[in-house]
Amino acid sequence: MEEVSSYEKALDVLSSFITLRSPADKGSKCSRFDFVFDYIKILDLEEPISKMKIIHVAGTKGKGSTCTFVESILRNCGFRTGLFTSPHLIDVRERFRVDGVDICEEKFSAHFWWCYDILKENTNEDLPMPFLFCFFTLLALKIFTAEQVDVVILEVGIGGRLDSTNLVQAPIVCGICSLGYDHVEILGHTLGQIAGEKAGIFKHGVPAFTVSQPDEAMSVLQEKASQLGVHLEVVPPLDANLLNGLKLGLEGEHQYQNAGLAVALCYTWLHRTGHLEITNLEQTSSLPESFIKGLTTANLQGRAQIVSDQHIDIECPGDLVFYLDGAHTSESMEICARWFSIAIKEDSQPRDNFRASHELVQMPPDERSRKNSIQILLFNCMSVRDPQLLLLRLIKTCASHGVRFKKALFVPNMTAFFKFGSHALPPTDSQVELSWQFTLQKEWESLMQGNKGPCNWFFTSYGRHFEIHKEMSCRAS
């Protein structure tokens, strides 16, 4: 029998962390934010963290994309970068990137066991082991310390004020992405309450940037900034003309808003760390080449990502094209639906060559063989969210672009990647609990009947880290 590696053992231990109560469980000792400072002392990370030149980013939507743009820009400026994001799609090491690359298994294992063994030895009933995301935060800072990065980009997990990434006491600059309703059971049921939690990352005298926000959210951000002497600036979306004819590395019109925020964060980081030579051009009229390269080569899986199935014979009609997006709020669902509707129409021109009347035009045999391409949208709807808000926004937005869905698949997250360890086996069919999928099915049927649309049903397993999946097989009507 093959011996399990140190890396696989680490993943098994991480799987056991999932059983710990999360920050949402307010009665749990593990949820107390103050504990994170005890963990830092135990791991002897106080001094290294104080020396880190950190960019801290919170928000409801776009913070992962913004952090990705920031990392790519500063890496192309010549700096050694450390990027901590969540969640991961396939491999946990995606959360810890050094110079744009996932940390290798050997280094991950070494840093994991160093942190885990010390914490295990020094925690007890009064100071329990950290919950999963808190442990990831500590591990990230240990990795970035060892790798001697020049800049650390930290993406907040949930909220901001009580998020474990808020252990940072003196970041160089902070950013707040677009705000909306998510994790309301933790952050509050109004935009003002949610904004107050996000603004918890503001630090006295540290400049902060945000994008255009709803009035209720903006007024709270401005109030919190004023209380802390924070200069809060609202950043417009990036002007596409500044890219010299190139496109952003991340798809979707909404990414220009994230890119604008990323540029402001990078300019401020460079100025405050004394690298004025890189930003000697006027930001409003042009961008340094390093910025343009960073913005146009940035890459983040699962954000408006298009993937063709490479295992289907190109000569066989009916090839599959997957459109992947992490949309999980009503606002992000509308953005996702708009992107998907436009993307499938653009993709259908060279692939399907249909006229508006759906009459097939003359085309070479190799192109005609691909005319039945099936487009599948894959996104997220966990049981803590209101499926009606997401599905109705999806249907209406796509319908406004002339797109109708022909089939829906509601998929549980029981797959080969159910555990962190890649050697973990998926559960048997009898172990898969489908009550949430049936709830989604009934909701979808009700919405489709209201829209007089046909719908077929079946279940399948596909991927993991969108938690609860829906694959929508779609074609423009």
Side-chain angles (χ1 to χ4, degrees), residues 175-193:
I176 305 289
C177 300
S178 181
L179 299 180
Y181 293 97
D182 196 20
H183 301 295
V184 294
E185 71 284 354
I186 302 172
L187 306 179
H189 294 270
T190 70
L191 281 179
Q193 291 173 326

Side-chain angles (χ1 to χ4, degrees), residues 35-208:
F35 283 167
V36 72
F37 298 101
D38 295 315
Y39 301 140
I40 292 171
K41 290 179 181 178
I42 290 172
L43 296 173
D44 197 24
L45 288 174
E46 290 177 293
E47 184 179 355
I49 292 174
S50 69
K51 294 180 179 179
M52 287 181 174
K53 296 178 174 59
I54 295 172
I55 297 174
H56 201 188
V57 180
T60 306
K61 305 179 297 294
K63 58 184 183 291
S65 298
T66 299
C67 288
T68 298
F69 280 131
V70 168
E71 187 281 328
S72 185
I73 290 171
L74 294 180
R75 173 162 40 87
N76 279 281
C77 286
F79 297 99
R80 185 164 173 79
T81 60
L83 173 63
F84 176 59
T85 60
S86 61
H88 61 276
L89 294 181
I90 302 298
D91 194 310
V92 68
R93 294 177 297 115
E94 296 169 25
R95 296 172 181 250
F96 316 92
R97 309 195 85 187
V98 176
D99 282 343
V101 179
D102 301 349
I103 194 74
C104 68
E105 291 186 6
E106 292 75 16
K107 289 183 177 180
F108 179 91
S109 298
H111 296 308
F112 170 87
W113 288 113
W114 185 88
C115 291
Y116 179 80
D117 289 343
I118 292 177
L119 288 170
K120 194 71 174 175
E121 182 179 346
N122 290 277
T123 51
N124 50 49
E125 185 177 344
D126 295 323
L127 180 63
M129 284 289 285
F131 59 86
L132 183 63
F133 186 78
C134 181
F135 182 85
F136 279 149
T137 303
L138 297 167
L139 178 57
L141 295 172
K142 170 59 179 173
I143 289 172
F144 299 150
T145 296
E147 292 296 316
Q148 298 182 313
V149 299
D150 299 312
V151 56
V152 171
I153 304 103
L154 289 182
E155 177 192 354
V156 168
I158 295 177
R161 182 175 64 92
L162 297 179
D163 187 75
S164 58
T165 62
N166 207 27
L167 58 85
V168 176
Q169 299 300 293
I172 300 299
V173 62
C174 296
I176 305 289
C177 300
S178 181
L179 299 180
Y181 293 97
D182 196 20
H183 301 295
V184 294
E185 71 284 354
I186 302 172
L187 306 179
H189 294 270
T190 70
L191 281 179
Q193 291 173 326
I194 292 171
E197 292 297 315
K198 306 290 184 179
I201 70 168
F202 290 165
K203 301 296 185 297
H204 181 75
V206 175

Side-chain angles (χ1 to χ4, degrees), residues 269-328:
W269 186 90
L270 289 166
H271 276 280
R272 297 198 76 209
T273 55
H275 297 93
L276 301 179
E277 72 282 357
I278 300 177
T279 59
N280 57 0
L281 297 174
E282 282 295 326
Q283 180 181 346
T284 56
S285 60
S286 61
L287 286 177
E289 285 300 318
S290 54
F291 276 53
I292 295 175
K293 185 175 181 181
L295 290 167
T296 57
T297 60
N299 178 265
L300 183 60
Q301 292 184 328
R303 306 297 201 282
Q305 183 183 8
I306 302 174
V307 179
S308 297
D309 193 321
Q310 301 298 319
H311 299 287
I312 293 182
D313 190 339
I314 196 171
E315 299 298 326
C316 176
D319 59 330
L320 300 177
V321 182
F322 294 92
Y323 296 76
L324 313 179
D325 194 77
H328 57 274

